[in-house]
Each structure stands twice: as C-alpha cells, then as structure tokens.
Amino acid sequence: MAEADHILVKTHHLSVMRGDKTLVDNASLSVEAGKIVTLIGPNGAGKTTLVRTILGLSRATSGELYRRPKLRTGYMPQKLQLDPSLPITVKRFLTLAGCKPAQASLALGRTGAIHLLNQPMQALSGGEMQRVLLARALLQQPELLVLDEPVQGVDVAGQAALYALINDIRKELNCGVLLISHDLHLVMATTDTVICLNGHVCCHGHPEQVTSDPAYLELFGHRAEAQIALYTHHHDHAHDPCGEIDQDHSHHA
C-alpha cells in the first residue's frame, strides 16, 4: 500500500483471530501526523488487541497493515506492575529504557513531572505514575504516540489535566496520537476522529457524528447520554498540572 506522507499508520479490513475466536473483525482506520484518533468501546471489544497489532506486538490474521517506514513510536501501556521489593527511582526507570539522563529530564519536563526525577516509583500517586509513563513514551521524540487508557487510576480533575497535556504534546511534536479511552466526554474536545469498536468498527467520524450515531447510542445506552451531556457542558474553570482548579486562569460567569 503506497500511502501519502502524512499517514503514519493505516489498517485495511484487518482481522485478528486467536484459535477459533475472532477478536477484531474487518477493522479499517488511519492515523495522520498531528491528529488524535480515539478508540472507544466496551471491555472485550478488541481495542488493545487492535493497538498491539498496529504496534507489531500481535499478528494479524488477515487484512493489510501499513506503517510509515522507520516510524518512531512511543507506547504507554494500560498498567505497569512494579515489584515493591525492588526500589527504583523515576530517573533509573527512564534510563533503563536506553535514554540518557538529559533525555529523561526533557521528557519529564514535557509532562510536568520534572520534580519527580529522584522519587521512588513505588511512592508515586496514580496521576504521577501516568505522567512518568507518558514521559517514558516520549523519550524517542515519537512521530506516533499510542496510549492505552492513559488516565487509569487518576481522579476526574487529574484526567482532564492529563488529556489537556496530551493535546499540548500533540501540538508541540506534531505527532499522531492513537488513544484508547472509556472517557469520551473528556477526550472529545481535542479528538479529531472517534472510532467505536465492538469486535468490528460500529461507527467512526468526528465526535459530534459518532455521538449521534444509532450504533453508538445502542452500544452505550444511558451512559452515552450522560457522556454527551458532559461533553456539551462548557467548563468555567481550568486545571493546573496537578489537576487542581487554577484560580488564576479560571473564567467566572
């Protein structure tokens, strides 16, 4: 598949089977430089399987997969299991990925977490851990940033701050972002394309298109109505990097 320069990855009628079970069926999507594509869907919908296949960590059963040659990719997994009996600092954790200390500091600075450089990983809060994992994904100046549930274990205020940070990084690096999320109301303001997956692609398009699609409404039911209500609510406040309300940059009616 010869592709335009702006396309980083593209799948065409991609299917993944394990044994006789189809995990992803006939899925087509593309991620362009500077764009955010969000995958949503219920548990077991095949989101992580599709992402791992795009990354080359799983093998497709059929269909086509294009990746731009020599594509630099940063991956943030859904969870990180650390052995509590093996103390490791944030700096050491990042340099174990093969980077120099200066690269680690630059990446932590991008995620607003430079103050955590010498902290033990086991002592981090949920939001701090996610910022460190995001920094790890940024070490190689990725052209494609792949994030699997990046706000896992973070409170709502912290989630909004993290999604705003991801949007800022997208603009700064002009990287494409492929994001798995359950929190559609928080990501929709900055997402260019939403793909609703439930084994197959149920619907896709701009956020406003997807939330009015019968397939989306049927899949998420009352939860969809709640998410749309949250999405259309205009915030009258801003959050600082820690997720707290920033009084200096908030707007009051």
Side-chain angles (χ1 to χ4, degrees), residues 147-181:
L147 311 173
D148 191 348
E149 295 284 359
V151 298
Q152 189 95 346
V154 183
D155 64 27
V156 173
Q159 290 175 18
L162 267 170
Y163 283 129
L165 173 61
I166 291 165
N167 187 44
D168 289 343
I169 289 168
R170 174 265 293 259
K171 293 176 180 176
E172 181 185 351
L173 298 181
N174 193 37
C175 61
V177 180
L178 179 58
L179 172 68
I180 294 177
S181 179

Side-chain angles (χ1 to χ4, degrees), residues 9 11 17 29 42 75 100 107 117 128 156 168 173 176 180 203:
V9 294
T11 70
M17 296 185 68
L29 65 82
Y75 176 48
K100 297 177 180 179
L117 186 64
E128 289 171 341
V156 173
D168 289 343
L173 298 181
I180 294 177
C203 54

Side-chain angles (χ1 to χ4, degrees), residues 13-235:
H13 299 308
L14 192 80
S15 295
V16 181
M17 296 185 68
R18 294 292 176 266
D20 59 355
K21 184 177 182 182
T22 300
L23 303 181
V24 176
D25 183 29
N26 204 33
S28 297
L29 65 82
S30 65
V31 183
E32 301 177 11
K35 301 293 185 181
I36 296 180
V37 176
T38 299
L39 274 175
I40 62 169
N43 291 332
K47 301 185 299 295
T48 297
T49 297
L50 180 56
V51 162
R52 286 178 59 83
T53 305
I54 288 171
L55 288 169
L57 302 173
S58 294
R59 186 181 294 274
T61 308
S62 62
E64 295 178 274
L65 168 61
Y66 165 83
R67 275 193 300 265
R68 178 192 284 179
K70 299 180 180 179
L71 180 69
R72 294 193 309 276
T73 302
Y75 176 48
M76 181 177 171
Q78 190 175 117
K79 294 179 182 177
L80 176 69
Q81 299 294 338
L82 285 175
D83 185 347
S85 67
L86 188 66
I88 183 172
T89 64
V90 169
K91 180 179 179 180
R92 179 63 176 151
F93 171 72
L94 293 178
T95 54
L96 280 173
C99 75
K100 297 177 180 179
Q103 289 174 287
S105 296
L106 177 62
L108 284 171
R110 278 204 169 106
T111 64
I114 188 65
H115 60 289
L116 301 174
L117 186 64
N118 296 308
Q119 290 295 309
M121 290 287 291
Q122 287 82 355
L124 301 181
S125 69
E128 289 171 341
M129 176 65 80
Q130 297 309 93
R131 285 173 183 268
V132 169
L133 290 178
L134 180 56
R136 187 176 187 272
L138 294 174
L139 288 174
Q140 302 303 323
Q141 301 278 323
E143 298 164 296
L144 174 66
L145 190 57
V146 181
L147 311 173
D148 191 348
E149 295 284 359
V151 298
Q152 189 95 346
V154 183
D155 64 27
V156 173
Q159 290 175 18
L162 267 170
Y163 283 129
L165 173 61
I166 291 165
N167 187 44
D168 289 343
I169 289 168
R170 174 265 293 259
K171 293 176 180 176
E172 181 185 351
L173 298 181
N174 193 37
C175 61
V177 180
L178 179 58
L179 172 68
I180 294 177
S181 179
H182 284 105
D183 308 290
L184 187 58
H185 63 283
L186 287 174
V187 299
M188 278 177 53
T190 54
T191 291
D192 297 290
T193 302
V194 174
I195 297 171
C196 186
L197 191 72
N198 191 19
H200 65 284
V201 175
C202 303
C203 54
H204 72 281
H206 293 295
E208 293 84 354
Q209 291 175 284
V210 170
T211 52
S212 61
D213 192 292
Y216 170 82
L217 296 170
E218 182 179 352
L219 195 59
F220 289 97
H222 293 300
R223 184 178 166 214
E225 295 174 9
Q227 288 195 333
I228 294 167
L230 281 164
Y231 169 55
T232 54
H233 165 71
H234 295 287
H235 290 286

